[in-house]
């Protein structure tokens, strides 16, 4: 379907009050200046593959290195703010039932005002104790490298899902349900290579939803979408979401 027709169809569906699910990735926060996983080339962390640092093995081998990486990312996220794409998803809540399923750990959807957010890969602001399992929210920037648990003194780890770790079953089940029940799935700024998150696109398509992708280039899930909308999500998503509100 050509882009103009496709955009119009998506805008019309949203304007008709359709039930929306939005699957977001690092590309949605790119316009806020947060480096994407594939895009952190210009940083001192460029010599590390995220897949190598975001693992329980890496943390077991060198927890200080992994904490320095997370502290660096927390600093970037704290210093920046959500962009127009995040805000447009929050605003559409007034007119449409919408659930955001995000792979991002930055907390920007909630900061932009979204109230129904499933953090599929956890949150960089959540810490979990390796000894007693206690979870706390800690937004200190910088954070003491190798932070310890206030309850038992154990080492704390970032409350994110690392490669080789399972997704929280409650979050996974809710996300699959939202993907299967939505009438429109917005796929925003993801390379679509990390599973099981990317599989949610096929769940929505197989359930008859209209699937629209917002990306600067085709991704690993583009074969499952009905409408591809090229460009930066910070420009394209507000335009289409707001078209529905006659704005
Ligand atoms: C698991 C939290 C069960 C941590 C993250 C099946 C096939 C292949 C592999 C597997 C498979 N099943 C499991 C695996 C292994 C693995 C996996 O998928 N590996 C990949 C690399 C192949 N999956 C797992 O390990 C998962 N767990 O399966 O458990 C299990 C357990 C044991 C053994 C076997 C199975 C857990 C994965 C979760 C890992 N944690 N994050 C942290 O953040 O530190 S993943 C992390 O990377 C992000 O959360 C996100 O998911 C991913 C990054 O991807 P994107 O968000 O898509 O970002 P990326 O930078 O790649 O791309 C940016 C995109 O935006 C691009 O398309 C670009 O064009 C676009 N863009 C850029 N700018 C803009 C834009 N678009 C619009 N506007 C712009 N301005
Ligand atoms: Zn503890």
């Amino acid at each position: 379907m050509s882009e103009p027709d496709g955009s119009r169809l998506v805008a019309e569906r949203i304007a008709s009050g359709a039930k929306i699910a939005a699957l977001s990735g690092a590309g949605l926060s790119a316009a806020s200046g947060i480096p994407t996983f594939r895009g952190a080339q210009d940083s001192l962390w460029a010599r590390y593959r995220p897949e190598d640092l975001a693992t329980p093995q890496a943390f077991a081998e060198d927890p200080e290195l992994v904490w320095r990486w997370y502290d660096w990312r927390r600093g970037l996220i704290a210093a920046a703010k959500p962009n127009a794409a995040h805000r447009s998803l929050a605003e559409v809540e007034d007119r449409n039932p919408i659930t955001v399923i995000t792979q991002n750990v930055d907390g920007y959807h909630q900061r932009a005002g979204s109230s129904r957010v499933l953090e599929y890969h956890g949150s960089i602001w959540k810490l979990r104790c390796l000894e007693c399992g206690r979870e706390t929210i800690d937004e200190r920037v910088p954070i003491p490298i190798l932070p310890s648990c206030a309850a038992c003194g154990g080492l704390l780890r970032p409350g994110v899902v690392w490669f080789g770790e399972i997704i929280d079953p409650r979050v996974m089940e809710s996300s699959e349900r939202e993907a299967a029940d939505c009438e429109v799935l917005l796929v925003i700024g993801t390379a679509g290579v990390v599973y099981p998150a990317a599989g949610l696109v096929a769940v929505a398509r197989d359930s008859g939803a209209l699937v629209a992708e917002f990306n600067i280039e085709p991704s690993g899930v583009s074969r499952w979408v009905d409408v591809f909308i090229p460009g930066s999500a910070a420009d394209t998503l507000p335009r289409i979401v707001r078209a529905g509100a006659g704005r």
Side-chain angles (χ1 to χ4, degrees):
M1 190 183 298
S2 69
E3 197 265 328
D5 304 347
S7 301
R8 195 172 312 110
L9 176 61
V10 176
E12 280 159 13
R13 283 288 177 80
I14 292 174
S16 69
K19 182 174 169 46
I20 302 172
L23 176 66
S24 65
L28 186 130
S29 294
S32 296
I34 308 298
T36 63
F37 263 61
R38 279 159 238 290
Q41 299 323 315
D42 52 3
S43 76
L44 53 82
W45 292 100
R47 56 196 161 91
Y48 298 92
R49 284 179 348 121
E51 287 90 340
D52 299 339
L53 287 171
T55 67
Q57 297 78 10
F59 193 73
E61 274 151 37
D62 190 343
E64 197 162 323
L65 173 71
V66 172
W67 258 121
R68 286 191 190 293
W69 184 50
Y70 279 97
D71 187 44
W72 171 69
R73 292 172 61 191
R74 288 162 55 104
L76 291 178
I77 294 165
K81 59 185 184 2
N83 61 60
H86 297 100
R87 292 194 294 277
S88 64
L89 290 176
E91 286 156 18
V92 84
E93 283 193 10
D94 315 344
R95 292 173 282 120
N96 300 70
I98 178 170
T99 299
V100 174
I101 305 164
T102 188
Q103 299 169 75
N104 302 339
V105 296
D106 55 28
Y108 275 10
H109 286 294
Q110 296 94 323
R111 261 176 75 181
S114 285
S115 62
R116 285 175 56 79
V117 180
L118 294 167
E119 294 185 306
Y120 206 77
H121 292 157
S123 168
I124 205 168
W125 303 114
K126 215 177 266 175
L127 278 61
R128 189 164 68 245
C129 175
L130 288 184
E131 302 309 320
C132 71
R134 187 165 170 268
E135 274 202 348
T136 49
I137 298 293
D138 185 325
E139 297 182 336
R140 287 177 291 176
V141 172
I143 191 165
I145 298 301
L146 301 178
S148 56
C149 173
C152 77
L155 176 61
L156 297 174
R157 57 160 284 175
V160 299
V161 179
W162 280 330
F163 289 97
E165 294 185 323
I166 62 159
I167 308 300
D168 176 320
R170 289 156 304 176
V171 172
M172 194 160 169
E173 199 224 317
S174 307
S175 301
E176 303 230 340
R177 194 177 47 249
E178 294 297 335
D181 290 358
C182 70
E183 294 164 289
V184 174
L185 177 72
L186 306 174
V187 181
I188 312 153
T190 184
V193 295
V194 172
Y195 282 78
L200 292 166
V201 180
V203 169
R205 191 209 49 183
D206 294 350
S207 316
L210 172 70
V211 181
E213 182 176 21
F214 299 76
N215 201 311
I216 54 177
E217 63 185 19
S219 74
V221 291
S222 298
R223 63 186 184 279
W224 291 323
V225 310
D226 304 299
V227 179
F228 182 83
I229 297 158
S232 173
D235 306 329
T236 55
L237 192 62
R239 180 165 52 79
I240 290 188
V241 165
R242 291 180 183 144
R247 277 186 288 168

